[in-house]
Amino acid sequence: MANPLLKEHVLLRHRDIEDIHKIDVYLAHDGYRALEKGLKEMTPDDVTNVVKASGLRGRGGAGFPTGVKWGFIPKNLNPKYVVVNADESEPGTFKDREIMESNPHQFIEGVILCAYAVGAETCYIYGRGEFWTLFHGRMQEAIDEAYEKGFLGKNIFDTDFSCDMYLHLGAGAYICGEETALLNSLEGLMGQPRSRPPFPAVAGLYAKPTVVNNVETLANVTPIVLHGADWYRQFGTEKSPGTKICSLSGRVNRPGNYEVPLGTPIRYLIEELGGGIIDGKAVKAILPAGASSSNMGADKIDTPMDYESMAAAGGMLGSASFIILDETINAVWAAEKNVKFFKHESCGKCSPCREGTFWLTSVYRKLREGYGTKQDVELIETIINQMEGNCFCLLGEFVVPGVRTSLELFRNEYESLASEENEVDQPQKDLIHTFF
Amino acid sequence: MGWTEKEQQDLEKILKKYPADRKLSAVLPALYLAQREKNWLDDDDIEAVAEALGIETTHVHSIIGFYTLFRKEPVGKYMMEVCTDLPCALRGAEDFFKRLCERMGLGPKGGTTEDNLFTVEEVVCIAACDKAPCMQINLEFFESLTDEQIDEVVAGLRAQASNNGA
Ligand SMILES: Cc1cc2nc3c(=O)[nH]c(=O)nc-3n(C[C@H](O)[C@H](O)[C@H](O)COP(=O)(O)O)c2cc1C
Ligand code: SF4
Ligand code: FES
């Protein structure tokens, strides 16, 4: 599919080159040349340095500079591990799945380069359980092909470097996308987050130095090593270089993944690539990072999609999962959906999140079912105030911005659901019985 | 249950992925293997997994309780997990789910059909939001669905099951 902003895709190359998931096709289009260059012409530090110079930032959500993260791995502690975060469970996110389904070798090549850079000989790719078919099919086939051609296994390109790669599936738990919960899960424990420090770079998988990176992040490494940092920096902005895959969903005509240079305005994504809003309606709110994001009002539609501009506009780029609400959608209903998601996914380890999501769900339901009062609207605020800053991990913190901005922007919708009659008609005792 | 010969081989392959002293890492893959046959885990399955990995059954129970894809209660031969999370709900997934339940003769929250063939359930996002309505049937994706399409899939699975049963 043509994308006027990119002559050729950097990441979604299967849209330009048919069957690139097959290793022969991939090899005919520069496949594994970055790996050969890295192993034969570059030291591990050279690889880390070119990634640093490219300015690549983590695509899993936090946007941390990838090369800097690799630099934290201590040299003298062995073994080391590369663990790839392929958990992709944020509502509205479906980009890593497309990479692995359609352009798996570019991603695998990036993982091997990462292992070489940090001195790891074992890589685990941790995917969500729902990727069962993908991991038993396309991804395993791609890894097998890479072994057959000698890009994995012993003495790759006749160098001293050897590397093994294994697929591992989770089993339905959003929290396992949080990197320390993911490591616990990979060790066979419940997927609950660990306290930090120690950071995974020092004591990660099996208490060994571990790099955790997102699928899309590592898919970027391959072209960076092959073409260099300057080439990469032709895309994007000074502080947010490169391209980004945006998962566009919700009330648009053409939902889907779109790769754009960072800094492209949201309007371009929605109107040009996404074909505008269904039935020509107006945008009501933009959730730029899935369920975890704040609601950005329609007035923010010209915000450039890079890490800095999105944060300055009161949103965040996160994993660039743009969920679009239009004027036909009730804001309370939408916020309730996300609150229910978090209640379902709270791991239960800490009470602000476990209890907070429980009470939020209950109050939202009460409002929606027509039993709410003005105090309930205030209660929502009280609950998120008590959660904010008090949760053990970011999952609980992620609940707050969506609810807070929903209230800020659409308070009238909340208040129109609250009724004074409910205050006299329904003793609280009964309500508690009914709803909680 | 006791592992079949093929399962035993698969188990050995799985264990090779992890360091020899880290067998516990194989608990999720081993549970998938044990659950594959009938879609849920009974006490014998749980014991077999615990034994294979040299761990306590209580740990296996806590793992099953934590991860939603493992089940300790009988379910249908086909798990139909329909996404009704926000992005899909914005494209009609909630109504799609309701209509499906009705046509399957189930209540508004889903459940298992009388013939024990299908369990219909609502799930949160499965990374197919651009292709709503979508679902997984035994972890295989079915996307951009119409009522007619999913009815055809269901009819196909029904026919297949009755052929196998006969
Ligand atoms: C609740 C929660 C869920 C997350 N889910 C994912 C996920 O599905 N995929 C992902 O790559 N990162 C996810 N992250 C971010 C990871 O913790 C981590 O920052 C990331 O994998 C690092 O890789 P990167 O630097 O390449 O982005 C999640 C974080 C939190 C707190
Ligand atoms: S905030 Fe607390 S309860 Fe919520 S997922 Fe994190 S550790 Fe678990
Ligand atoms: S919300 Fe349904 S697949 Fe993502």
Side-chain angles (χ1 to χ4, degrees):
Chain A
M1 199 193 317
N3 178 343
L5 294 186
L6 287 177
K7 262 194 290 180
E8 289 175 336
H9 289 87
V10 177
L11 304 166
L12 302 176
R13 287 183 78 205
H14 54 282
R15 296 193 180 180
D16 306 320
I17 303 163
E18 206 178 330
D19 285 340
I20 197 166
H21 66 274
K22 296 182 181 156
I23 199 159
D24 291 335
V25 177
Y26 185 62
L27 286 171
H29 292 89
D30 292 342
Y32 292 98
R33 275 189 49 217
L35 184 64
E36 182 168 16
K37 178 179 175 187
L39 264 54
K40 286 188 177 166
E41 298 168 24
M42 299 165 81
T43 66
D45 283 346
D46 290 341
V47 174
T48 301
N49 286 335
V50 71
V51 173
K52 271 188 196 162
S54 75
L56 172 64
R57 298 170 62 169
R59 302 298 194 231
F64 192 83
T66 306
V68 175
K69 184 189 274 189
W70 295 2
F72 290 154
I73 299 289
K75 290 214 171 2
N76 48 355
L77 290 175
N78 283 301
K80 310 184 217 297
Y81 293 101
V82 172
V83 174
V84 184
N85 192 338
D87 197 55
E88 187 153 73
S89 304
E90 181 70 43
T93 316
F94 42 88
K95 64 190 178 65
D96 298 337
R97 183 182 158 206
E98 179 167 347
I99 294 174
M100 293 188 290
E101 278 177 350
S102 302
N103 191 13
H105 284 292
Q106 177 173 340
F107 158 57
I108 290 168
E109 190 175 358
V111 181
I112 307 170
L113 281 163
C114 171
Y116 175 69
V118 301
E121 299 205 330
T122 310
C123 312
Y124 291 101
I125 301 174
Y126 183 103
R128 57 180 301 178
E130 289 79 0
F131 290 165
W132 205 94
T133 317
L134 168 61
F135 271 37
H136 284 80
R138 181 62 53 85
M139 270 305 293
Q140 188 60 56
E141 285 156 24
I143 289 174
D144 292 346
E145 284 177 329
Y147 269 104
E148 275 162 33
K149 299 274 182 193
F151 305 134
L152 279 166
K154 293 259 170 281
N155 302 107
I156 302 168
F157 287 113
D158 295 321
T159 64
D160 289 343
F161 178 65
S162 303
C163 185
D164 283 308
M165 189 176 294
Y166 304 107
L167 297 172
H168 183 100
L169 284 170
Y174 166 71
I175 185 59
C176 291
E178 195 283 333
E179 58 186 21
T180 62
L182 186 155
L183 294 172
N184 274 345
S185 178
L186 184 48
E187 289 185 10
L189 307 170
M190 289 195 284
Q192 292 183 315
R194 302 174 176 174
S195 32
R196 279 176 284 203
F199 288 90
V202 181
L205 183 64
Y206 309 134
K208 303 294 182 206
T210 303
V211 175
V212 183
N213 270 136
N214 170 259
V215 173
E216 184 186 353
T217 308
L218 294 172
N220 274 281
V221 167
T222 306
I224 289 171
V225 170
L226 185 61
H227 303 298
D230 288 341
W231 174 88
Y232 189 73
R233 282 182 171 276
Q234 70 177 297
F235 308 105
T237 68
E238 172 66 26
K239 287 190 174 151
S240 301
T243 63
K244 175 85 192 80
I245 305 175
C246 302
S247 296
L248 179 65
S249 69
R251 304 290 303 163
V252 291
N253 281 313
R254 286 197 299 272
N257 285 320
Y258 297 100
E259 181 178 345
V260 298
L262 281 159
T264 303
I266 303 174
R267 184 190 292 282
Y268 191 84
L269 175 69
I270 295 178
E271 293 182 0
E272 301 300 321
L273 301 171
I277 303 297
I278 296 174
D279 294 334
K281 297 278 188 217
V283 172
K284 174 167 184 161
I286 300 161
L287 280 69
S292 299
S293 31
S294 46
N295 293 262
M296 296 170 80
D299 58 324
K300 300 288 165 63
I301 194 167
D302 289 310
T303 308
M305 296 185 287
D306 59 66
Y307 295 96
E308 293 71 31
S309 310
M310 290 297 286
M316 63 172 183
L317 187 62
S319 50
S321 320
F322 287 83
I323 307 174
I324 311 301
L325 313 188
D326 70 2
E327 56 185 323
T328 66
I329 301 302
N330 180 274
V332 185
W333 170 83
E336 186 194 10
K337 291 292 284 185
N338 285 341
V339 161
K340 271 165 58 182
F341 170 81
F342 287 114
K343 170 175 178 274
H344 186 256
E345 298 301 334
S346 169
C347 84
K349 182 174 173 130
C350 71
S351 52
C353 168
R354 185 184 61 236
E355 303 292 321
T357 54
F358 173 85
W359 286 103
L360 278 176
T361 314
S362 309
V363 179
Y364 266 100
R365 182 169 158 212
K366 186 178 165 193
L367 270 177
R368 184 177 41 84
E369 294 196 351
Y371 297 92
T373 64
K374 277 232 161 73
Q375 285 94 307
D376 288 319
V377 181
E378 282 152 27
L379 184 56
I380 292 179
E381 265 175 331
T382 311
I383 299 171
I384 55 174
N385 287 340
Q386 287 177 357
M387 291 177 74
E388 190 163 34
N390 292 322
C391 296
F392 184 81
C393 85
L394 281 175
L395 184 147
E397 301 295 334
F398 283 165
V399 181
V400 177
V403 173
R404 194 180 298 291
T405 50
S406 174
L407 264 175
E408 272 167 16
L409 291 172
F410 310 111
R411 198 174 182 104
N412 55 335
E413 288 178 43
Y414 285 76
E415 286 179 348
S416 73
L417 287 172
S419 151
E420 269 172 37
E421 275 170 39
N422 288 335
E423 286 166 35
V424 279
D425 278 350
Q426 283 261 11
Q428 287 296 317
K429 188 163 105 327
D430 286 359
L431 282 178
I432 285 175
H433 187 73
T434 313
F435 287 101
F436 304 137
Chain B
M1 67 172 224
W3 306 97
T4 63
E5 204 170 300
K6 166 89 173 67
E7 285 168 345
Q8 193 72 46
Q9 288 166 0
D10 287 348
L11 200 57
E12 273 158 33
K13 253 199 250 161
I14 289 168
L15 281 168
K16 281 211 190 91
K17 296 181 176 181
Y18 312 99
D21 58 344
R22 297 287 183 173
K23 275 186 170 182
L24 186 55
S25 276
V27 68
L28 298 183
L31 282 167
Y32 275 115
L33 198 61
Q35 186 173 268
R36 202 66 191 149
E37 180 65 31
K38 64 179 182 309
N39 257 345
W40 65 283
L41 298 150
D42 61 26
D43 285 345
D44 287 348
D45 299 325
I46 292 167
E47 234 163 76
V49 168
E51 205 174 292
L53 304 183
I55 57 180
E56 299 290 331
T57 49
T58 48
H59 182 73
V60 183
H61 279 285
S62 69
I63 291 290
I64 297 168
F66 187 85
Y67 295 95
T68 58
L69 289 178
F70 299 126
R71 294 167 287 267
K72 280 202 271 192
E73 306 293 329
V75 290
K77 183 176 165 71
Y78 300 105
M79 280 301 297
M80 304 177 70
E81 300 182 294
V82 185
C83 175
T84 57
D85 218 345
L86 179 64
C88 283
L90 288 168
R91 307 183 72 80
E94 289 184 327
D95 288 339
F96 172 84
F97 175 77
K98 264 190 220 135
R99 291 193 306 270
L100 176 68
C101 290
E102 230 167 73
R103 293 197 310 282
M104 303 284 286
L106 301 167
K109 293 261 159 236
T112 302
T113 53
E114 263 177 34
D115 55 8
N116 288 324
L117 265 187
F118 299 96
T119 298
V120 185
E121 235 178 39
E122 272 180 279
V123 291
V124 293
C125 183
I126 53 176
C129 331
D130 56 334
K131 304 193 185 71
C134 61
M135 70 170 78
Q136 291 204 305
I137 305 181
N138 291 356
L139 297 182
E140 199 185 318
F141 281 102
F142 291 81
E143 303 174 319
S144 305
L145 290 164
T146 62
D147 289 1
E148 292 72 31
Q149 277 168 343
I150 193 61
D151 286 350
E152 248 172 63
V153 172
V154 167
L157 293 173
R158 257 208 187 103
Q160 200 181 316
S162 75
N163 283 344
N164 290 348

